Amino acid sequence: MRTPTLLRTRAGLGIGLLLLAAYGGCDFQSSDSSSMAGLTLKIKGDYSGGVIVSNPAGIECGSSCASTFAIGTKVELTVTTEESSEFVGWEGACTGSASSCSVSLDAGKEVIAVFRSKSNRADLTISFGGKGGGSVTSQPVGLQCSSQCTGGFEKGTMVTLTAAPDATSVFSGWTGACSGAARTCMVTLADATQVTANFANPETCEQIRADAPTSTDGNRKLFIGGEKAKPFDAFCLMSAIPALTYLNLTKTAATENFSQYTAGGSSAGTNVKTNYTKIRFDPLTLRVDTNDKRYASSVGSLMHSGTVNVTSMPYATAMGCQTGMANGLANIDLTGTSFALATASLAVAGFMQVGATTPTPDGQARTFNLTGGGNCGWNAPTGANAPYNSQGSTLNLVYLP
């Protein structure tokens, strides 16, 4: 079948449509008195050729842009364009941007097909990178996608792109024709252009704050190594710069998650005990800063060896200063977190040291009871030296979902 070309000139097209417009919105009576309705098709924009046909047959726009059908008929219109034109969408009795549309004739109706020329347009392609997820929208409208997409704009148009991470991701920056870490970028289209929006699964609270500076303190979902398969829950102190990451401790009774330097021997005074409800954590190294007491409370005071006033204890530390006695106490309970103590993460040390950890850290257990003492001695994170006040060592954890 010959593919007709629509009216060759806009003047000709306009005359043809004026002649046909009389059919739109009118009902007809055929010779057999059947009730009929007119369907008129109009063209809007830059159209250089092709064909629009109806099913049932009747319209083959290029030779006939109007026809009549029995009332109640569902008519499907289908557009085929030539290379120099792009179909934009339907107006009037049809809507949307698909190449086909259907209209039910309960009366005479008019449909408008909208086109634009490709000769002065440039494509903008959006790609997505990183391990996280999100979407990108454009202004002027034309792009809204969460996977690779392409849209056409008039050459010379300045397009503003806006990135939006999903609920557990952060935006980590643009590459290609856009750059920087701000969620919006502007690009002027002179030719075909490519931009990549990168999204990440946040490893630290600071990554979230950097992407969304107005974020407030609260619980967040983070990911070890940025891997979607390694999530964990954290408390983000966004009011600190850089933002700090903490693990919430679910076991917070008086005998849980505490450190104690027991008075006696050469350290006179009252037992110094510090209880913790959150511990500061570095997700990049899986180490706990045992000296951070922002979410801790302490009681007691003693003089270490009669020379240094002690009023608080680092996390995961049991200490005493009475010869032969492991009277220092501590408890570690990581229940409810996604972590356990690493192997060899604790050690008994000091002068004439005594003490024990039950059970022995093996990378699997989360709950431990510590004793430590001597003259003076302690049971604390490996590498600790006189671990009282804020002289503790970091504590090594392992990921255990």
Side-chain angles (χ1 to χ4, degrees):
M1 168 181 163
R2 177 179 64 86
T3 300
T5 300
L6 211 62
L7 300 175
R8 295 292 181 179
T9 68
R10 286 190 172 267
L13 179 61
I15 293 170
L17 292 177
L18 286 171
L19 292 173
L20 293 166
Y23 291 100
C26 298
D27 295 343
F28 297 86
Q29 294 293 321
S30 68
S31 59
D32 62 359
S33 299
S34 298
S35 183
M36 306 292 285
L39 176 61
T40 302
L41 177 64
K42 292 185 178 181
I43 306 298
K44 179 179 176 181
D46 298 314
Y47 188 80
S48 61
V51 66
I52 304 173
V53 298
S54 67
N55 184 21
I59 291 178
E60 188 171 343
C61 208
S63 61
S64 176
C65 287
S67 187
T68 58
F69 302 88
I71 285 182
T73 301
K74 185 175 183 180
V75 181
E76 182 178 72
L77 298 173
T78 301
V79 176
T80 302
T81 61
E82 292 186 350
E83 285 297 319
S84 57
S85 291
E86 179 181 5
F87 178 63
V88 176
W90 304 97
E91 295 179 359
C94 277
T95 58
S97 59
S99 60
S100 295
C101 84
S102 295
V103 56
S104 295
L105 292 181
D106 53 358
K109 293 188 177 180
E110 178 183 273
V111 173
I112 301 171
V114 184
F115 298 85
R116 61 191 172 199
S117 172
K118 290 183 177 180
S119 61
N120 192 42
R121 296 182 67 77
D123 283 343
L124 175 58
T125 298
I126 306 298
S127 300
F128 291 78
K131 298 176 180 178
S135 61
V136 174
T137 57
S138 70
Q139 184 61 41
V141 296
L143 292 171
Q144 183 174 0
C145 52
S146 55
S147 59
Q148 183 168 310
C149 60
T150 299
F153 299 87
E154 296 293 326
K155 288 183 178 180
T157 301
M158 178 179 286
V159 180
T160 299
L161 298 175
T162 302
D166 64 27
T168 60
S169 299
V170 292
F171 178 66
S172 55
W174 304 97
T175 53
C178 282
S179 60
R183 288 192 182 183
T184 60
C185 84
M186 293 181 290
V187 57
T188 300
L189 300 181
D191 210 334
T193 303
Q194 191 276 332
V195 172
T196 298
N198 298 288
F199 296 92
N201 300 312
E203 298 179 66
T204 68
C205 294
E206 175 59 18
Q207 280 184 274
I208 298 175
R209 192 203 64 79
D211 177 45
T214 59
S215 297
T216 56
D217 300 350
N219 296 320
R220 299 290 195 281
K221 185 75 70 177
L222 300 180
F223 301 85
I224 299 298
E227 296 293 339
K228 201 74 169 179
K230 294 184 177 181
F232 70 96
D233 294 319
F235 177 84
C236 291
L237 186 66
M238 297 298 191
S239 53
I241 299 178
L244 302 178
T245 303
Y246 289 83
L247 296 181
N248 291 309
L249 300 175
T250 62
K251 301 295 185 178
T252 57
T255 57
E256 297 168 327
N257 283 304
F258 76 94
S259 298
Q260 180 174 300
Y261 188 156
T262 301
S266 59
S267 295
T270 58
N271 296 341
V272 177
K273 182 182 180 184
T274 302
N275 283 82
Y276 290 80
T277 58
K278 304 180 195 296
I279 51 177
R280 184 173 164 185
F281 178 64
D282 183 350
L284 302 181
T285 62
L286 306 191
R287 292 178 178 174
V288 173
D289 179 353
T290 62
N291 294 316
D292 189 305
K293 301 180 183 67
R294 192 182 299 264
Y295 299 101
S297 58
S298 300
V299 295
S301 176
L302 59 77
M303 295 298 292
H304 170 68
S305 296
T307 59
V308 181
N309 186 34
V310 177
T311 58
S312 66
M313 291 296 291
Y315 184 69
T317 302
M319 188 168 180
C321 212
Q322 195 162 354
T323 302
M325 294 185 63
N327 57 349
L329 303 173
N331 173 265
I332 299 169
D333 196 331
L334 300 177
T335 300
T337 75
S338 297
F339 301 92
L341 287 194
T343 302
S345 55
L346 298 171
V348 177
F351 181 66
M352 300 177 64
Q353 67 269 24
V354 290
T357 300
T358 307
T360 301
D362 59 359
Q364 297 294 316
R366 303 182 200 270
T367 304
F368 304 86
N369 291 307
L370 285 65
T371 60
N375 192 23
C376 297
W378 52 84
N379 188 355
T382 301
N385 183 31
Y388 48 76
N389 291 333
S390 295
Q391 297 180 180
S393 293
T394 57
L395 177 65
N396 293 328
L397 304 185
V398 294
Y399 183 68
L400 185 69

